[in-house]
Amino acid sequence: MQFRKAVMADTEAIYELIQLNAELGLMLPRPRISIYENLQSMTVIDDQGTIVGVGGLHILWSDLAEIRSLAIAPDKKGLGLGKELVSLLVKEAHQLGIPRVLSLTYQVEFFKKSGFTIVAKESLPQKVWKDCLNCNKFPTCDETAMLLVV
Ligand SMILES: CC(C)(COP(=O)(O)OP(=O)(O)OC[C@H]1O[C@@H](n2cnc3c(N)ncnc32)[C@H](O)[C@@H]1OP(=O)(O)O)[C@@H](O)C(=O)NCCC(=O)NCCS
């Protein structure tokens, strides 16, 4: 398994991985344009040419980044890949000098295992102002905000 930055040739595999998990109701779907726009922030897990995982680190503010589009292929779940990818994205935030990493998620237990704790969405105004206000789910979002201080 190789953890590496995403390149344009990975976009269709990333799209399908996210779509697959979105159809299961586990995450929000992403149109291709959103993957192109955010490609530079994405890391993939490459299993001998097959993309089996993806995750992005999106900068929200000078001291806050968000883990987005985290998805592991159904037949590779439970092997520790998600946790390793989160750890890599947290390290990336640290290297960028960003002290707080956020996730808005349904996977509370998974993120707890990586050291994240539940916080009130209201404590993250940069996220609410920038993204939540434009989201269909606002103001009745059922995702949990979780934060890790790096
Ligand atoms: C959530 C997801 C990324 C986890 O990846 P994974 O590779 O299967 O998880 P890991 O094997 O790295 O698990 C790490 C730890 O979390 C635990 N864990 C993983 N998923 C869990 C779940 N749904 N509920 C409870 N615990 C969970 C594991 O048991 C493991 O615990 P351990 O460290 O004590 O052994 C993956 O299941 C996935 O792609 N889900 C669909 C998309 C999604 O929900 N993305 C998150 C959007 S924010």
Side-chain angles (χ1 to χ4, degrees):
M1 299 282 176
Q2 186 194 2
F3 290 68
R4 60 166 174 79
K5 295 302 285 183
V7 295
M8 197 49 85
D10 300 322
T11 52
E12 207 50 35
I14 294 171
Y15 174 80
E16 280 168 18
L17 207 51
I18 294 174
Q19 191 64 24
L20 202 64
N21 280 294
E23 281 165 11
L24 295 171
L26 298 172
M27 64 195 298
L28 296 174
R30 272 193 181 268
R32 286 182 179 81
I33 179 71
S34 165
I35 295 170
Y36 302 147
E37 283 174 345
N38 292 288
L39 192 68
Q40 286 162 302
S41 70
M42 290 182 172
T43 295
V44 291
I45 308 174
D46 184 334
D47 183 11
Q48 297 181 326
T50 302
I51 302 303
V52 296
V54 62
L57 184 79
H58 182 83
I59 298 173
L60 285 169
W61 201 247
S62 63
D63 64 345
L64 183 64
E66 179 182 10
I67 291 181
R68 282 192 185 169
S69 306
L70 180 68
I72 301 295
D75 62 337
K76 300 290 178 188
K77 286 180 186 175
L79 302 177
L81 294 176
K83 193 172 181 180
E84 201 171 335
L85 186 49
V86 166
S87 153
L88 207 65
L89 296 172
V90 167
K91 194 169 157 198
E92 192 178 324
H94 182 63
Q95 284 167 346
L96 286 164
I98 300 173
R100 297 187 302 156
V101 179
L102 157 73
S103 171
L104 264 189
T105 186
Y106 298 119
Q107 303 295 336
V108 171
E109 294 309 315
F110 166 74
F111 278 98
K112 273 187 186 168
K113 296 268 169 128
S114 290
F116 286 70
T117 53
I118 297 173
V119 293
K121 294 187 189 92
E122 297 69 33
S123 70
L124 303 160
Q126 297 94 341
K127 174 66 185 170
V128 176
W129 293 338
K130 189 167 178 291
D131 296 325
C132 297
L133 290 178
N134 294 312
C135 177
N136 288 340
K137 291 186 170 187
F138 188 81
T140 52
C141 173
D142 56 353
E143 293 183 305
T144 301
M146 300 189 73
L147 195 70
L148 177 72
V149 178
V150 180

